[in-house]
Amino acid sequence: MPFSDAEFDLAVAIESFEHIENNTQAIQEVSRTLKSDACLVITTPTHWTWPFEFGRHGPHYYDKAALIKLLQGSGFQVVLCKACGGGVFWLANLLKSWLSPFGYRILGKKWWTMIDTVLLPIYFISRFTDRFLVFLPTNWLILAKKLGH
C-alpha cells in the first residue's frame, strides 16, 4: 500500500479479507501502516457460510482459530472475536442460496425482492433467537490491537 509505516490509528476491513488471495501479505501491510497500539476492526464470513455460498464469496473462509492465528502472526493481539449470526440466520441464508438458481430462472430480477420479502420475518426473528442459537455463526467480528514495539 502506498502509505508510510505507522501512519494510521485505526484500520477497518468490512467483508474484505476473504476476497484477498494472499491474506497473510495483506494483513502484514495493514500492520505495517498502523501505529503501535492502533486498532483493527474486521468482519468476515465464517467457514460455516461455505455451504450456502458454494465458495463464491472468496478464496478464504475462516474458522476462529485460523483468523486469530493470521492476526497474531502479523503482530496483533485479538481483543474480541465475536460470532455473529446463528442457526436461524444461517438456515435462512442456506434456503435463499439453494433456491436462488431456480427462483432467478423463473422470476428473473424479481426473485431477489420476493425472496428477501419472504425471508425478512425470519431475519428479524433471528436477531433474537441467534443470541441463544449461536451455533453456525455466519460472520466473525474481530477487534485487534497492534502490539507495540
Side-chain angles (χ1 to χ4, degrees):
M1 293 189 293
F3 303 108
S4 301
D5 292 355
E7 188 168 341
F8 298 105
D9 296 311
L10 172 69
V12 178
I14 305 296
E15 305 296 307
S16 56
F17 268 90
E18 69 276 9
H19 297 283
I20 301 169
E21 189 70 37
N22 190 339
N23 59 359
T24 301
Q25 182 181 7
I27 200 69
Q28 287 171 348
E29 273 297 285
V30 171
S31 180
R32 180 188 67 78
T33 62
L34 285 176
K35 297 175 184 176
S36 292
D37 297 325
C39 289
L40 169 63
V41 178
I42 294 178
T43 66
T44 187
T46 70
H47 62 297
W48 294 108
T49 63
W50 199 97
F52 60 80
E53 293 178 350
F54 305 109
R56 299 177 300 216
H57 197 76
H60 301 286
Y61 288 82
Y62 299 99
D63 64 33
K64 185 176 182 177
L67 191 54
I68 290 172
K69 182 179 177 182
L70 175 68
L71 290 162
Q72 288 175 339
S74 295
F76 288 97
Q77 173 191 4
V78 175
V79 177
L80 172 74
C81 182
K82 180 173 174 41
C84 302
V88 174
F89 189 79
W90 186 88
L91 285 171
N93 280 317
L94 182 69
L95 179 68
K96 180 179 179 178
S97 178
W98 286 49
L99 290 177
S100 290
F102 307 105
Y104 187 78
R105 284 191 182 119
I106 295 167
L107 298 173
K109 292 181 181 179
K110 292 178 183 178
W111 165 254
W112 302 115
T113 302
M114 192 210 74
I115 192 65
D116 287 338
T117 302
V118 168
L119 291 177
L120 189 62
I122 296 171
Y123 289 137
F124 181 77
I125 290 168
S126 76
R127 292 175 51 206
F128 304 101
T129 60
D130 287 353
R131 293 179 187 171
F132 308 103
L133 303 170
V134 293
F135 59 93
L136 301 173
T138 54
N139 288 78
W140 298 116
L141 169 62
I142 302 283
L143 173 60
K145 189 174 185 180
K146 183 179 173 187
L147 298 173
H149 298 295

